[in-house]
Amino acid sequence: MPADPPPRLLVFDSGVGGLSIMADIQRLLPHCSVSYASDNAAFPYGTKSEEVLVARVDRVLHRLIEHSRPDVVVVACNSASTLALPHIRAHFREPIVGVVPAIKPAAHQSRSRVIGLLATPGTVARSYTRDLIQQFAADCTVISLGSSELVRLAEAHLRGQTPSLAQLQDLLSPMLSHPRAPEMDTLVLACTHFPLLKQKLQAVVGPEVALIDSGEAIARRVAYWLTELGRGKSASESPAHQALFTADGPEVERLGPALGEFGISDIQVVAVPNN
């Protein structure tokens, strides 16, 4: 009998932040093969307009799905998810799992009713995020901070350039200087890049502040779709992982050691020019 191939997942982000989602998926679903895709040709997404971002995500996903033939697609980017999910779900037949800021579980967990929201500037400003706050955290004080620089530092961290605590303290100072910041007991990491710096962020905000992200919830949602597709059982073949980039460059090579920690040695360029 032919071997039963592992379910294949496509985990997609503009940079390497989605690796934090991949880590949670691998913990829950170790039998799956994962194609991790970075649209580095158009990085970063968090500063792009809705029109530009939706068109770019549509174009790139068509190319990546054609290349990797996944069972389930994970859009492991808050910026893309908060803008492009309705469009791409209407244009692709594969199940699409998106990432949303973990405001609901943060509000459920918070006792002080003071919550921090750390995201990209675009995610902080979007009506989607404001609606989540109104729906699930209307009785909370939400201290929001948008930072593109923190995304850059997380990217550099995976390439061996770890930021100092002083750098992170400086970036978070607008949040930590808020009058109610001493009461904050929960911090939402609403960009998939930020869990890559979780230990250092925890050192900055203190051990009494719980850091919450969407990784485990996304992994559970992927498991649900695999069961729905009849692919929920372990396969007889061992999983094989790969990384896909939409542009070549020295920064791709520098990611080799970090990708190796996720079991990825197969690195390919699937060119999708940013124009």
XYZ file of all heavy atoms in Angstrom, residues 101-117 128-144 180 185-186 188 212:
302
model
N -6.299 39.855 17.078
C -5.765 40.211 18.408
C -6.543 39.517 19.525
O -7.771 39.486 19.513
C -5.967 41.734 18.456
C -5.961 42.158 17.015
C -6.636 41.045 16.275
N -5.811 38.965 20.482
C -6.413 38.134 21.542
C -7.043 39.000 22.631
O -6.777 38.830 23.832
C -5.367 37.196 22.123
N -7.915 39.920 22.220
C -8.549 40.838 23.167
C -9.599 40.118 24.010
O -9.717 40.366 25.220
C -9.161 42.023 22.396
C -8.031 42.872 21.799
C -10.061 42.863 23.309
C -8.489 43.887 20.790
N -10.349 39.218 23.407
C -11.386 38.496 24.152
C -10.800 37.687 25.304
O -11.251 37.832 26.458
C -12.194 37.602 23.212
C -13.315 36.843 23.892
C -14.095 35.998 22.900
C -15.215 35.218 23.578
N -15.971 34.383 22.594
N -9.808 36.819 25.076
C -9.247 36.081 26.221
C -8.538 36.982 27.228
O -8.541 36.691 28.425
C -8.277 35.087 25.575
C -8.005 35.617 24.214
C -9.230 36.346 23.797
N -7.968 38.083 26.761
C -7.311 38.999 27.691
C -8.332 39.635 28.625
O -8.109 39.738 29.840
C -6.556 40.077 26.919
N -9.461 40.074 28.072
C -10.506 40.675 28.894
C -11.093 39.661 29.870
O -11.412 39.994 31.020
C -11.604 41.252 28.000
N -11.206 38.413 29.416
C -11.723 37.366 30.289
C -10.784 37.105 31.461
O -11.226 36.843 32.596
C -11.927 36.078 29.485
C -12.430 34.921 30.296
N -13.728 34.817 30.716
C -11.780 33.833 30.787
C -13.882 33.710 31.416
N -12.713 33.092 31.474
N -9.490 37.216 31.206
C -8.488 36.877 32.220
C -8.195 38.031 33.168
O -7.867 37.812 34.338
C -7.196 36.446 31.518
C -6.057 36.085 32.445
C -4.878 35.516 31.693
O -5.030 34.812 30.702
N -3.675 35.840 32.139
N -8.295 39.268 32.674
C -7.871 40.421 33.460
C -8.736 40.610 34.708
O -9.972 40.581 34.647
C -7.928 41.690 32.608
O -7.614 42.829 33.382
N -8.096 40.847 35.821
C -8.797 41.151 37.066
C -8.818 42.656 37.327
O -9.766 43.177 37.895
C -8.131 40.418 38.229
C -8.218 38.889 38.102
C -9.653 38.394 38.230
N -9.760 36.963 37.936
C -10.178 36.475 36.778
N -10.491 37.306 35.784
N -10.267 35.175 36.590
N -7.771 43.337 36.915
C -7.702 44.779 37.156
C -8.531 45.573 36.160
O -8.817 46.749 36.399
C -6.246 45.247 37.085
O -5.756 45.172 35.755
N -8.898 44.934 35.036
C -9.629 45.567 33.930
C -8.785 46.635 33.244
O -9.316 47.563 32.622
C -10.975 46.164 34.372
C -11.820 45.298 35.282
C -11.927 43.869 34.806
N -12.712 43.727 33.573
C -12.585 42.695 32.718
N -11.705 41.743 32.965
N -13.330 42.638 31.634
N -7.484 46.500 33.315
C -6.558 47.345 32.561
C -5.687 46.426 31.714
O -4.959 45.575 32.240
C -5.675 48.214 33.478
C -4.717 49.067 32.637
C -6.532 49.100 34.368
N -5.805 46.589 30.396
C -5.172 45.679 29.435
C -4.255 46.483 28.527
O -4.594 47.588 28.095
C -6.248 44.971 28.586
C -7.117 44.073 29.461
C -5.621 44.162 27.449
C -8.335 43.551 28.736
N -3.105 45.917 28.207
C -2.226 46.504 27.205
C -2.445 45.833 25.859
O -2.738 44.640 25.785
N -2.319 46.605 24.786
C -2.433 46.084 23.428
C -1.214 46.539 22.650
O -1.049 47.730 22.373
C -3.712 46.580 22.757
C -3.896 46.205 21.278
C -4.033 44.692 21.120
C -5.107 46.924 20.680
N -11.475 47.296 12.818
C -11.615 45.893 13.232
C -11.173 45.733 14.686
O -11.858 45.087 15.489
C -10.773 45.001 12.316
C -10.918 43.517 12.579
C -11.800 42.752 11.826
C -10.182 42.883 13.568
C -11.935 41.387 12.059
C -10.317 41.522 13.821
C -11.190 40.784 13.052
O -11.337 39.451 13.308
N -10.026 46.331 15.020
C -9.507 46.223 16.383
C -10.382 46.998 17.369
O -10.678 46.515 18.470
C -8.057 46.739 16.436
O -7.276 46.041 15.460
C -7.446 46.526 17.810
N -10.811 48.176 16.975
C -11.693 48.963 17.852
C -13.000 48.216 18.121
O -13.530 48.253 19.234
C -11.978 50.325 17.215
C -10.753 51.241 17.154
C -11.163 52.672 16.879
N -11.820 52.824 15.590
C -11.179 53.072 14.449
N -9.860 53.187 14.446
N -11.843 53.217 13.320
N -13.506 47.527 17.098
C -14.744 46.757 17.283
C -14.535 45.604 18.259
O -15.429 45.286 19.065
C -15.241 46.226 15.936
C -15.772 47.329 15.028
O -16.007 48.446 15.529
O -15.922 47.084 13.809
N -13.372 44.942 18.186
C -13.072 43.863 19.136
C -13.048 44.393 20.566
O -13.567 43.755 21.488
C -11.725 43.218 18.802
C -11.645 42.264 17.617
C -10.201 41.808 17.412
C -12.554 41.059 17.811
N -12.438 45.555 20.739
C -12.375 46.154 22.081
C -13.779 46.484 22.570
O -14.134 46.201 23.729
C -11.483 47.402 22.061
C -10.017 47.003 21.798
C -11.595 48.162 23.382
C -9.092 48.173 21.563
N -14.589 47.067 21.709
C -15.939 47.434 22.097
C -16.785 46.207 22.424
O -17.603 46.209 23.348
C -16.608 48.244 20.981
C -17.999 48.761 21.318
C -18.014 49.656 22.542
O -17.101 50.461 22.747
N -19.022 49.515 23.392
N -16.574 45.141 21.659
C -17.381 43.930 21.840
C -16.976 43.132 23.073
O -17.845 42.608 23.792
C -17.282 43.059 20.592
C -18.145 41.808 20.631
C -18.081 41.015 19.331
O -17.375 41.379 18.387
N -18.826 39.914 19.274
N -15.674 43.013 23.322
C -15.203 42.090 24.356
C -14.539 42.769 25.556
O -14.348 42.119 26.590
C -14.218 41.086 23.756
C -14.798 40.227 22.676
C -14.365 40.335 21.372
C -15.804 39.316 22.974
C -14.908 39.539 20.372
C -16.348 38.517 21.985
C -15.907 38.626 20.677
N -14.162 44.051 25.435
C -13.428 44.704 26.524
C -13.948 46.113 26.779
O -13.184 47.009 27.137
C -11.940 44.741 26.196
N -15.255 46.295 26.621
C -15.838 47.635 26.782
C -15.689 48.156 28.203
O -15.664 49.370 28.420
C -17.311 47.610 26.368
N -15.596 47.254 29.172
C -15.470 47.683 30.564
C -14.017 47.785 31.021
O -13.746 47.989 32.200
C -16.228 46.716 31.483
C -15.617 45.314 31.485
O -15.019 44.931 30.456
O -15.744 44.613 32.499
N -13.094 47.656 30.067
C -11.666 47.704 30.387
C -11.036 48.999 29.880
O -11.495 49.596 28.907
C -10.920 46.529 29.753
S -11.409 44.894 30.324
N -9.989 49.413 30.539
C -9.093 50.429 29.987
C -8.055 49.700 29.146
O -7.336 48.832 29.663
C -8.393 51.227 31.096
O -9.374 51.960 31.832
C -7.381 52.188 30.508
N -8.007 49.998 27.845
C -7.062 49.347 26.947
C -5.989 50.366 26.559
O -6.284 51.382 25.931
C -7.762 48.798 25.687
C -6.738 48.138 24.767
C -8.843 47.794 26.082
N -4.764 50.089 26.964
C -3.625 50.966 26.657
C -2.956 50.416 25.396
O -2.326 49.360 25.430
C -2.626 51.001 27.818
C -3.324 51.341 29.140
C -1.508 52.000 27.525
C -2.439 51.197 30.362
N -3.120 51.114 24.287
C -2.650 50.612 22.994
C -1.337 51.274 22.589
O -1.133 52.475 22.815
C -3.697 50.870 21.908
O -4.907 50.212 22.199
N -2.494 54.675 34.064
C -3.015 53.440 34.648
C -2.129 52.221 34.361
O -2.500 51.090 34.683
C -4.441 53.185 34.145
C -5.442 54.277 34.537
C -6.860 53.783 34.460
N -7.123 52.727 35.441
C -8.288 52.061 35.510
N -9.274 52.354 34.647
N -8.473 51.126 36.422
N -2.559 44.234 34.082
C -2.210 42.861 34.462
C -2.178 41.907 33.270
O -1.849 40.729 33.423
C -3.175 42.331 35.529
C -4.615 42.210 35.047
O -4.918 42.604 33.896
O -5.459 41.723 35.825
N -2.502 42.418 32.075
C -2.547 41.573 30.885
C -2.065 42.385 29.689
O -2.447 43.550 29.534
C -3.988 41.089 30.610
O -4.542 40.563 31.810
C -4.006 40.006 29.549
N -1.680 42.064 25.473
C -1.965 41.324 24.253
C -0.843 41.578 23.246
O -0.581 42.730 22.868
C -3.316 41.753 23.641
C -3.581 40.977 22.340
C -4.441 41.532 24.635
N -0.344 37.518 26.376
C -1.293 36.655 25.678
C -1.155 36.853 24.173
O -1.107 37.996 23.690
C -2.744 36.960 26.114
C -2.923 36.673 27.599
C -3.750 36.150 25.303
C -4.322 36.936 28.112
